[in-house]
Amino acid sequence: MKNQLVTCYVNPDLDGVASAVAYAEFLNSQGREAQAGILGKPHDEARYVLTRFRLPSPEEIADDKDYQEVILVDASDLNGLESRINQEKVIEIIDHRKVHDAGKFSRAKAQIELVGAAATLITEKFSAAGSQISKESALLLYSAIISNTLNFKGSVTTERDRQASAWLAQFIQVPPDYWRELFLAKSDLAGSKLEERIRGDFAWFTLGAKRVGIAQLEIIGAEDLIRQRGDEIIAALEELKADLNLDYVFQNTIELDKLRNFIIAGDKDCQELLTRVLGIEFSGCIARKDQLMMRKQIVPLIKDELERLVN
Ligand SMILES: [Mn+2]
């Protein structure tokens, strides 16, 4: 039996992978026996960074059975863990989402702070302790902050994210347009990649008395994609709605170049809910919002509205 596992939700994004790898390194530097392990398959963007800089792939695990204790980073909700982690083993949670299940992990000490990236919180551990950081962890954390804050253009961005990335930049070298390279790496959704991405990055929540599923795509070229393949997106959402028995389903589509969001919802009920909550207007199944908003920011707004309807 190994000691501590540092992991994230199933099929983690770059922020999750970076945070797990780097926090395990930090804990090791503090004399703790921790190991990063990845559940499922990392997002394309995470795999791109690993390949781009020839970084070792983090260990893939099926569940937590080989570990005594678990630390969750960039993850704090039960759905995303798909029952692969025993709640009782979780001793620490580091996350940056307003809506979370941290209270359901009875043993866990939770640090939930609403910065742009979990990677920022991990970076602050190193800088505060004055610990050395490997080039590998610095590259991963730096990339994750760029990605999660949409290159500091997303409204999730905080001063702490900027400071953390500046601290990391001392230890690495990346080209000035690295952000664009990173965004392009996740913008190829040719053929079956579109549906795979929608499913791979899907998340659902129980909000008030309703089950709400939200897909999220962050790409360069969102407008063209929607025009050409909007029907496929709606079909994929409807399938997820049926599979997961959801009340509402929609996609938050972030256009990384033109800095705007397109919300896609196939059914009228869901469109009405989103019109109320986000102050958007649908034309057909699509509504545009000229502000870069991420799923983690939309969830609390829908939660407030659906809880208000219950009470
Ligand atoms: Mn994150």
Side-chain angles (χ1 to χ4, degrees):
M1 195 80 140
K2 296 176 198 167
N3 207 333
Q4 294 178 333
L5 168 68
V6 187
T7 194
C8 184
Y9 52 83
V10 181
N11 303 328
D13 67 1
L14 175 56
D15 195 27
V17 173
S19 296
V21 169
Y23 197 46
E25 176 182 319
F26 176 78
L27 293 173
N28 292 336
S29 78
Q30 304 296 301
R32 280 164 62 184
E33 267 175 59
Q35 198 177 339
I38 299 300
L39 295 163
K41 187 178 150 198
H43 280 198
D44 289 347
E45 189 181 26
R47 284 184 290 143
Y48 175 79
V49 175
L50 293 169
T51 311
R52 162 81 166 76
F53 297 105
R54 295 177 202 189
L55 307 179
S57 284
E59 183 165 328
E60 288 177 24
I61 50 166
D63 53 43
D64 64 4
K65 71 173 179 335
D66 293 336
Y67 296 87
Q68 282 169 345
E69 294 178 320
V70 176
I71 294 153
L72 294 179
V73 289
D74 194 36
S76 54
D77 86 32
L78 291 170
N79 295 342
L81 296 171
E82 299 178 6
S83 308
R84 305 224 215 157
I85 296 293
N86 177 348
Q87 273 164 266
E88 295 307 309
K89 283 191 184 178
V90 177
I91 55 157
E92 184 178 1
I93 295 173
I94 300 175
D95 199 7
H96 63 128
R97 283 170 181 75
K98 193 167 176 192
V99 174
H100 60 81
D101 290 332
K104 293 182 186 161
F105 298 83
S106 56
R107 289 178 67 202
K109 169 183 93 175
Q111 178 190 4
I112 310 276
E113 290 174 356
L114 304 185
V115 292
T120 294
L121 302 175
I122 306 301
T123 303
E124 289 174 350
K125 306 276 184 201
F126 282 93
S127 58
S131 304
Q132 274 216 344
I133 188 166
S134 67
K135 202 172 144 198
E136 168 195 339
S137 288
L139 278 166
L140 283 167
L141 292 171
Y142 180 84
S143 305
I145 295 172
I146 300 272
S147 166
N148 254 51
T149 61
L150 310 173
N151 195 31
F152 311 106
K153 302 239 172 45
S155 49
V156 290
T157 310
T158 68
E159 190 49 37
R160 288 167 69 183
D161 300 306
R162 293 178 195 281
Q163 276 169 10
S165 75
W167 187 82
L168 292 165
Q170 310 170 74
F171 308 108
I172 57 174
Q173 270 184 319
V174 296
D177 60 348
Y178 176 58
W179 64 272
R180 194 174 168 84
E181 187 189 312
L182 203 52
F183 290 173
L184 278 172
K186 59 181 168 182
S187 299
D188 172 16
L189 295 176
S192 61
K193 285 186 197 164
L194 174 61
E195 193 183 342
E196 281 163 28
R197 179 76 58 79
I198 291 172
R199 285 193 167 260
D201 196 13
F202 194 75
W204 67 274
F205 310 86
T206 302
L207 304 174
K210 302 291 187 185
R211 288 158 69 95
V212 182
I214 312 177
Q216 181 162 278
L217 289 185
E218 303 158 29
I219 61 165
I220 290 175
E223 206 159 1
D224 288 345
L225 179 80
I226 292 168
R227 194 168 42 239
Q228 289 157 13
R229 304 181 70 188
D231 293 348
E232 282 176 67
I233 295 172
I234 290 172
L237 294 177
E238 288 305 314
E239 207 174 296
L240 282 159
K241 184 180 179 188
D243 289 355
L244 295 166
N245 195 21
L246 301 170
D247 296 293
Y248 298 107
V249 67
F250 64 94
Q251 176 169 290
N252 183 37
T253 322
I254 297 172
E255 163 57 57
L256 293 169
D257 228 1
K258 297 180 187 134
L259 308 180
R260 58 180 71 129
N261 282 43
F262 296 94
I263 312 281
I264 305 178
D267 84 77
K268 288 278 169 254
D269 277 358
C270 187
Q271 291 177 8
E272 272 168 36
L273 173 73
L274 295 170
T275 299
R276 268 200 321 275
V277 171
L278 301 177
I280 50 178
E281 240 178 276
F282 278 87
S283 152
C285 299
I286 298 157
R288 189 175 126 172
K289 193 166 173 65
D290 289 326
Q291 181 202 19
L292 287 189
M293 211 179 188
M294 306 193 67
R295 174 168 57 201
K296 64 174 74 67
Q297 298 173 285
I298 297 174
V299 172
L301 303 174
I302 298 179
K303 180 171 185 266
D304 286 350
E305 172 69 4
L306 294 176
E307 285 180 350
R308 190 179 65 80
L309 296 176
V310 171
N311 297 325

